[in-house]
Amino acid sequence: MKIESWPNFLTLLRILLSFFLFALILYGASFFPVFIHKSWINYFACLTFCVASITDFFDGFIARTFKVESIFGEIFDPLADKLLMLSALIGLLVWNRADAWAVFLILSREFFITGLRVVAASRGMKVAASHLGKYKTGLQITAIAFLFMDYPFGNLVLWLSVALTLYSGYDYVKMYLKVR
């Protein structure tokens, strides 16, 4: 496979892993033999989520390093990110490990910013993601991994990520208003 194909391949892999993660959360008990303890579902869900999250870093890194950015990647990379977060956060709600308001606020911000990006693109504008967005994503990934592992402080980290998520959304809107 040529290096030019890797970023798009990793984006598609992230989408597939999102579906696998959600299926694992919903039907994980039937994936494993009876003699394997149910806590292993936590480990596999966390591992799947972390592997999928790492693909986000590498697809962008490869695309920028080798200058193989594409329209497909520009559109589907953020959608794959949202799909991964959606599957993880809804799954954590199903497992009753995440606060519903925290999930609602995170997903609302994500959908709002995606809509803002579409509006900006339709006007020929490009509003780059700030470093806050990268930190927000890192904190969300950390919180979700902690919640998959059922750590008692996972919800605290989730709420910290909500605060950073909302603030980065505000920052994004501010940047959009400057360039329009």
Side-chain angles (χ1 to χ4, degrees):
M1 184 185 296
K2 293 180 180 181
I3 195 74
E4 296 86 19
S5 305
W6 274 98
N8 292 342
F9 170 77
L10 290 172
T11 296
L12 290 172
L13 178 62
R14 189 161 58 261
I15 291 169
L16 292 174
L17 287 172
S18 299
F19 282 97
F20 176 76
L21 174 64
F22 197 62
L24 181 62
I25 291 166
L26 293 179
Y27 312 112
S30 60
F31 285 175
F32 297 101
V34 179
F35 59 86
I36 293 180
H37 194 270
K38 292 189 185 323
S39 66
W40 279 87
I41 297 169
N42 293 342
Y43 307 135
F44 281 106
C46 187
L47 178 65
T48 301
F49 176 74
C50 289
V51 167
S53 296
I54 289 168
T55 67
D56 182 32
F57 168 78
F58 281 111
D59 71 7
F61 176 78
I62 293 168
R64 284 185 302 276
T65 302
F66 295 97
K67 302 202 185 325
V68 290
E69 296 167 299
S70 68
I71 299 294
F72 177 87
E74 205 171 298
I75 294 170
F76 279 92
D77 178 63
L79 291 177
D81 298 344
K82 306 303 180 260
L83 188 58
L84 178 61
M85 289 297 166
L86 183 70
S87 66
L89 290 169
I90 291 175
L92 288 166
L93 283 175
V94 168
W95 280 356
N96 201 27
R97 291 194 188 162
D99 186 285
W101 274 107
V103 170
F104 178 75
L105 290 170
I106 289 172
L107 294 177
S108 295
R109 181 267 187 207
E110 297 302 331
F111 288 122
F112 179 78
I113 296 303
T114 298
L116 194 62
R117 280 185 166 157
V118 169
V119 169
S122 72
R123 295 180 176 175
M125 299 179 338
K126 193 170 185 177
V127 183
S130 70
H131 288 294
L132 274 177
K134 305 281 186 209
Y135 300 141
K136 174 259 321 173
T137 300
L139 195 55
Q140 284 178 356
I141 289 168
T142 302
I144 290 168
F146 286 169
L147 289 168
F148 275 135
M149 295 305 295
D150 207 14
Y151 290 159
F153 53 86
N155 262 304
L156 172 64
V157 180
L158 181 64
W159 276 105
L160 290 173
S161 79
V162 167
L164 190 55
T165 297
L166 294 175
Y167 183 74
S168 72
Y170 162 76
D171 190 56
Y172 198 90
V173 169
K174 202 168 66 174
M175 283 192 301
Y176 167 79
L177 293 173
K178 276 185 187 176
V179 281
R180 70 176 198 130

